[in-house]
């Protein structure tokens, strides 16, 4: 085959490959759009090399009132401008020490670990909103560095900013970052009992204690007993904090 024909074949193959990649990418983004449209949260994809946001799903309430197009255009500057000044240090810690943690993981391990943290976003003529970001690597370079991440954004269920943790569904432990000491500590996940899982799930459905008791064929006092024991084990004071703890640590 001539060099000219070889060149034409290579060009066609390259074009087909680019088309297939673009097609796959479009399908990937369409899935993200569908997921974000059916949930209270939203999703964005960031390129860590260019510091650009490649995709942002629509939810102005979680982005200081800005549209997805406005946030995407601003890129990382959005967080520099709209994050509460006192919480900018949290984002710096995540960017520095959070991603340093990932360096000790293999390429496949990186993709099954998530870093989660809370910070306040400023709103014009309104109170600051505490949001939660859950960041997971989705593309790894040949040298092992993370090139792209996907982030799920939602309202935080915690009371304060910070709460930097790295979690994985495949591990019985998680890592917690201490903002004051600058150190990571490994902690064991709490294994929920079946009855506790049932109670939390029914609370998430909006049921009250009496309704939960009816669903589980027990007395309201029994539900209160299991609930208080759960509070004691995970160190929380009410059901909102319990739900926050369970969701943050992927316990259900």
């Amino acid at each position: 085959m001539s060099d000219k024909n070889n060149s034409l074949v290579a060009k066609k193959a390259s074009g087909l490959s680019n088309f297939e990649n673009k097609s796959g990418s479009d399908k990937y983004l369409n899935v993200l759009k569908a997921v974000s449209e059916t949930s209270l949260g939203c999703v964005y994809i960031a390129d860590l090399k260019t510091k650009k946001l490649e995709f942002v799903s629509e939810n102005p309430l979680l982005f200081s009132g800005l549209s997805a197009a406005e946030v995407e255009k601003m890129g990382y500057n959005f967080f520099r401008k709209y994050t509460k000044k006192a919480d900018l240090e949290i984002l710096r810690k995540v960017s520095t020490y959070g991603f340093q943690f990932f360096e000790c993981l293999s390429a496949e391990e990186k993709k099954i670990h998530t870093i989660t943290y809370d910070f306040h976003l400023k709103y014009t003529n309104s109170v600051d909103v505490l949001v939660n970001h859950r960041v997971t690597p989705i593309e790894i370079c040949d040298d092992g560095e993370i090139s792209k991440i996907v982030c799920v954004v939602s309202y935080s269920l915690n009371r304060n900013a910070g709460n930097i943790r790295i979690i994985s569904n495949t591990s019985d432990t998680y890592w917690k970052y201490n903002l004051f000491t600058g150190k990571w500590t490994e902690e064991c996940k709490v294994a929920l009992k079946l009855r506790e899982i049932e109670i939390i799930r029914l609370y998430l459905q909006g049921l009250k204690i009496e309704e939960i008791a009816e669903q589980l064929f027990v007395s309201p006092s029994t539900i209160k007993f299991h609930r208080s024991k759960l509070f004691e084990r995970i160190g929380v004071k009410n059901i909102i904090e319990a739900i926050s703890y369970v969701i943050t640590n992927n316990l259900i």
Side-chain angles (χ1 to χ4, degrees):
M1 186 179 291
S2 67
D3 290 341
K4 183 177 181 181
N5 287 338
N6 280 331
S7 177
L8 288 172
V9 171
K11 186 175 182 179
K12 289 181 179 180
S14 176
L16 179 60
S17 177
N18 289 336
F19 173 78
E20 289 174 342
N21 289 337
K22 185 176 186 301
S23 178
S25 177
D26 289 343
K27 291 179 180 178
Y28 183 66
L29 293 180
N30 286 335
V31 170
L32 289 180
K33 290 177 182 178
V35 171
S36 62
E37 288 172 357
T38 57
S39 68
L40 293 176
C42 60
V43 181
Y44 70 80
I45 294 176
D47 188 316
L48 301 187
K49 300 295 185 181
T50 62
K51 304 298 183 182
K52 294 181 178 179
L53 302 183
E54 295 189 344
F55 166 78
V56 181
S57 64
E58 196 70 57
N59 194 328
L61 295 179
L62 288 169
F63 282 115
S64 300
L66 275 64
S67 68
E70 291 173 315
V71 175
E72 189 171 331
K73 183 178 180 180
M74 292 182 69
Y76 274 36
N77 285 327
F78 165 79
F79 299 108
R80 298 187 185 99
K81 182 177 180 179
Y82 286 94
T83 297
K84 184 179 178 181
K85 187 175 181 179
D87 291 352
L88 284 171
E89 182 64 10
I90 293 172
L91 300 191
R92 190 186 72 81
K93 296 284 188 181
V94 169
S95 178
T96 303
Y97 301 108
F99 284 96
Q100 277 184 0
F101 182 97
F102 280 87
E103 292 178 2
C104 65
L105 303 176
S106 68
E108 291 307 311
E109 287 176 328
K110 286 182 174 71
K111 294 181 180 180
I112 60 173
H113 282 77
T114 295
I115 183 167
T116 173
Y117 52 96
D118 303 306
F119 64 98
H120 290 91
L121 284 177
K122 297 182 291 186
Y123 273 73
T124 305
N125 301 322
S126 183
V127 297
D128 298 334
V129 175
L130 186 63
V131 296
N132 173 261
H133 279 210
R134 299 171 72 88
V135 173
T136 306
I138 55 173
E139 282 191 17
I140 312 297
C141 298
D142 292 337
D143 59 7
E145 289 191 17
I146 300 170
S147 58
K148 292 184 182 181
I149 56 95
V150 61
C151 180
V152 178
V153 185
S154 63
Y155 293 107
S156 172
L157 296 176
N158 292 306
R159 294 184 178 183
N160 304 304
N163 312 304
I164 304 173
R165 298 183 181 188
I166 290 181
I167 58 178
S168 171
N169 287 333
T170 63
S171 175
D172 293 328
T173 63
Y174 66 91
W175 291 85
K176 183 177 181 180
Y177 183 79
N178 189 310
L179 287 168
F180 301 102
T181 65
K183 295 181 179 180
W184 290 96
T185 55
E186 187 177 16
E187 301 185 10
C188 292
K189 290 181 180 178
V190 175
L192 296 185
K193 299 176 181 179
L194 177 59
R195 183 62 82 191
E196 293 169 342
I197 293 175
E198 292 173 336
I199 291 173
I200 290 294
R201 284 175 175 169
L202 292 172
Y203 263 115
L204 288 172
Q205 293 177 21
L207 274 62
K208 298 179 180 179
I209 289 180
E210 293 75 14
E211 295 171 318
I212 294 174
E214 184 178 347
Q215 286 278 335
L216 299 180
F217 303 103
V218 296
S219 67
S221 59
T222 299
I223 299 300
K224 292 179 181 178
F225 171 79
H226 286 295
R227 190 182 63 174
S228 64
K229 286 297 182 181
L230 174 61
F231 291 175
E232 183 180 329
R233 286 205 301 128
I234 63 179
V236 300
K237 298 179 180 179
N238 55 57
I239 191 61
I240 297 298
E241 291 181 357
I243 290 174
S244 172
Y245 185 94
V246 168
I247 292 176
T248 299
N249 290 285
N250 286 3
L251 298 183
I252 60 173

